[in-house]
Every structure is written in C-alpha cells, then in structure tokens.
C-alpha cells in the first residue's frame, strides 16, 4: 500500500516535470530558429550592401558558436525534468500543483506528507484521497505557454529568407564563400587627368576630376605632402567636372581625388585617384657662349 501511495505522488510529479520540460524545449527550439534566421537575414543584407571582407565574414561565422548556449539550456531542461529531486523541491511542486485546483488546494501536499509516515489511520486518509482524486486529474496542472506567436515569427522570417535567397542569390553565394574576396561593380567612379606628371619648378598644372556618379556623391581633393593631408578647394566647371590649378608649383606632392558615399547604405565606393606631381629644379645658365 505504501508503494502505491508513493507511486501516486511520483506519477504526478513526473508527469508535471515532463510536460514542463517538453514545453520549455519547444520554446527553446523555436527561439533558436528565430535568432538564427534573423541573424542569417541580417548577414545577407550586410553582404548585399557592403561586400564584406573575408575577415568580417569569418568573424560573423564565429558568432554562431554562441548557439552553444541553446544546447546548454536544452541539456539543463532535460536534466531538471528527468532527474531526481529532493523532498523539499517535491513538496514545493506538489503545493503548486494542488493550488491549480480549487477543490484540492493544499490537500495534495498535506496527503503527500501524511504518506511519508507509517500510520494506519493516516494511510487510510491518503488512500481515500487517492480514490477521490486519481493521478490523471492533475495531468493538465502544467500551464503550457502558447507557442503560436513564436511559430508565426519564425515562419515569417523563414519566408523572408526564402524570398531573399531568390532575389539575392549573388550575395548569398558570396556569403557562403567565407575566405573569398569580392569587389562590387564600379557603377560610380572618378576619372582624374592628367596622369602622373613631371614639371619644372614654378610651372603651372591643372588637375581635372570628372565624377561618374549621381550629384549626391560628394567629391573631395587632397594634397599629401610630408605625411600630412591637406584638403583643397577646387573649381566646379560643370555638374560633374572639377578642376584645381597649381601655379606656381614649388614642391613635389601627391594629389588624391576621393568620391564619398552620401550615406552608409551604399556599396563600397571606388579607390581614390592618386596623381603624383614631381617637381624638378629648373636648370640654370652657367655661362654664355659668345659667337
């Protein structure tokens, strides 16, 4: 009879913990899918916009190691759901289960405590309680958290991923090739004239910069000299043509034309246009040769 009483309470505890563990595992799994689907979608958009370097793609791949946290949580849930628990934990849980039913309340815990004592009268009271409240009555004591909202979020993200995978096939392929480097097509660029030039001191030179990009892409010109960069103010000839006059030229320098992005959500802009201007000393007349 004592074994039957113990089996009764253990069945209630085991059923509750099993249902709670399965419910927590379900929500942990859905959260895992949601987080990873959203992360992949963000990485795909980043690759589409910025053509990520191999180093950045490798770092993003390593972040996926954090998924081990979901695995640890799942192991803990299974352990808590199926391992043995101390009497204090069992009593606390039985009190919680009993309070889910107005006609039971604290009686479930009270009869559990009575079942731990070897007394005929108390054993009869416990048997009478078991007959009045079969263990199946407490199967729905574990209030399951609805998973519909998480499931809808995951299905929405999955649909976005499928659509993105079709529309953004090239970025997806680039993202999968972690160690490969890709450059965007040069739809916006600068052309700088003349080429690298050599001239004598105090000569003049005009540097022309043509912008092959929409008007909202700003153009900047710099002079690099002795390790320092100085921004120059050039003349705007037309909507896309700029010029800078060097007169008189005294020292050698490097001139750099830069095409800036109007905002961050633009693919990589082209490399700056460098022009080396080398200045030679003007030859001097040592002596005249008379005829």
């Amino acid at each position: 009879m004592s074994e039957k009483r113990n089996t009764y309470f253990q069945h209630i505890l085991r059923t509750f913990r099993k249902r709670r563990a399965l419910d927590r595992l379900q929500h942990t799994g859905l959260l895992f899918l949601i987080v990873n689907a959203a992360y992949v979608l963000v990485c795909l958009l980043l690759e589409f916009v910025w053509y990520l370097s191999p180093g950045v793609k490798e770092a993003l791949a390593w972040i996926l190691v954090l998924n081990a946290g979901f695995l640890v949580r799942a192991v803990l849930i299974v352990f808590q759901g199926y391992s043995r628990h101390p009497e204090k934990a069992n009593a606390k849980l039985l009190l919680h289960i009993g309070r889910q039913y107005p006609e039971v309340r604290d009686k479930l815990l009270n009869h559990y405590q009575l079942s731990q004592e070897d007394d005929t009268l108390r054993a009869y009271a416990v048997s009478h309680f078991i007959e009045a409240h079969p263990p199946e009555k407490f199967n729905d004591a574990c209030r399951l958290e609805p998973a519909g909202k998480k499931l809808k979020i995951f299905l929405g993200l999955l649909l976005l991923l499928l659509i993105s995978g079709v529309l953004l096939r090239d970025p997806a392929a680039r993202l999968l090739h972690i160690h490969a480097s890709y450059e965007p097509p040069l739809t916006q660029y600068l052309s700088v004239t003349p080429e690298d030039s050599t001239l004598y001191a105090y000569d003049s030179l005009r540097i022309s910069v043509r912008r092959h990009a929409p008007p909202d892409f700003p153009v900047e010109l710099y002079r690099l000299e002795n390790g320092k960069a100085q921004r120059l103010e050039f003349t705007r000839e037309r909507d896309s043509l700029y010029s800078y006059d060097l007169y008189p030229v005294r020292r050698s320098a490097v001139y750099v034309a830069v095409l800036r992005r109007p905002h961050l959500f633009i693919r990589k802009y082209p490399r700056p246009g460098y022009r080396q201007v080398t200045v030679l000393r003007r030859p001097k007349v040592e002596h005249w040769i008379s005829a």
Side-chain angles (χ1 to χ4, degrees):
M1 189 67 178
S2 176
E3 183 179 351
K4 179 181 179 181
R5 294 195 300 268
N6 289 333
T7 303
Y8 171 81
F9 291 105
Q10 290 302 323
H11 175 81
I12 295 173
L13 291 168
R14 186 167 53 251
T15 301
F16 183 93
R17 287 183 172 127
K18 181 179 179 181
R19 287 172 61 86
R20 183 174 62 182
L22 292 175
D23 182 60
R24 290 177 176 177
L25 284 175
Q26 181 186 40
H27 285 276
T28 300
L30 285 173
L31 188 59
F32 166 80
L33 294 174
I34 290 172
V35 170
N36 282 272
Y39 183 72
V40 172
L41 187 61
V42 169
C43 291
L44 187 59
L45 294 176
L46 291 176
E47 174 63 29
F48 170 71
V49 175
W50 285 312
Y51 280 71
L52 302 175
S53 65
V56 174
K57 288 189 287 188
E58 188 172 354
L60 292 175
W62 274 106
I63 292 177
L64 293 174
V65 175
L66 296 177
N67 281 319
F70 289 103
L71 178 60
V72 172
R73 176 171 171 78
V75 171
L76 290 176
I77 290 173
V78 173
F79 177 79
Q80 293 173 358
Y82 293 90
S83 63
R84 293 179 61 88
H85 294 76
E87 291 298 324
K88 186 176 180 180
N90 289 338
K92 184 177 179 179
L93 184 55
L94 286 170
L95 178 62
H96 170 75
I97 295 174
R99 288 181 174 177
Q100 306 301 313
Y101 303 89
E103 71 279 10
V104 177
R105 301 296 294 170
D106 299 351
K107 294 178 183 178
L108 184 62
L109 173 60
N110 295 336
H111 285 84
Y112 171 71
Q113 294 171 338
L114 291 176
S115 69
Q116 305 302 308
E117 302 178 14
D118 190 10
D119 182 86
T120 305
L121 185 60
R122 293 175 180 178
Y124 175 77
V126 173
S127 299
H128 180 72
F129 178 83
I130 293 174
E131 293 176 1
H133 305 283
E136 293 77 14
K137 175 178 181 175
F138 302 99
N139 286 349
D140 59 347
C142 182
R143 308 300 181 187
L144 303 180
E145 181 183 352
K149 186 176 181 180
K150 287 189 178 70
L151 182 60
K152 290 179 181 178
I153 293 175
F154 168 66
L155 291 177
L157 289 172
L158 181 61
L159 180 61
L160 285 176
L161 273 177
L162 292 175
I163 295 174
S164 301
V166 174
L167 299 180
L168 306 177
R169 289 190 297 272
D170 291 341
R174 296 197 305 266
L175 195 61
L176 291 174
H177 294 81
I178 296 178
H179 300 291
S181 179
Y182 299 90
E183 292 294 331
L186 292 180
T187 55
Q188 298 93 22
Y189 62 95
L190 292 174
S191 57
V192 184
T193 56
E195 299 295 330
D196 292 351
S197 303
T198 300
L199 61 160
Y200 289 111
Y202 299 99
D203 280 353
S204 62
L205 179 69
R206 168 170 287 191
I207 297 177
S208 297
V209 180
R210 182 177 294 277
R211 177 183 59 201
H212 302 272
D216 58 339
F217 282 72
V219 179
E220 298 174 359
L221 184 66
Y222 295 87
R223 177 168 56 213
L224 303 181
E225 189 176 1
N226 298 325
K228 297 181 180 180
Q230 177 187 2
R231 185 172 177 177
L232 306 175
E233 297 295 333
F234 43 63
T235 303
R236 186 171 183 173
E237 303 288 346
R238 291 193 296 273
D239 287 344
S240 59
L241 181 62
Y242 304 83
S243 65
Y244 181 77
D245 293 322
L246 286 74
Y247 179 81
V249 181
R250 296 185 176 87
R251 294 183 298 274
S252 299
V254 176
Y255 293 84
V256 185
V258 179
L259 181 64
R260 299 291 187 188
R261 290 180 292 185
H263 51 78
L264 288 176
F265 298 100
I266 296 291
R267 296 176 181 177
K268 291 181 179 178
Y269 47 82
R271 295 178 179 179
Y274 292 87
R275 290 296 180 268
Q276 173 71 49
V277 177
T278 304
V279 178
L280 305 177
R281 294 182 60 183
R282 190 175 292 277
K284 297 181 180 179
V285 177
E286 298 294 335
H287 58 273
W288 293 97
I289 300 178
S290 56

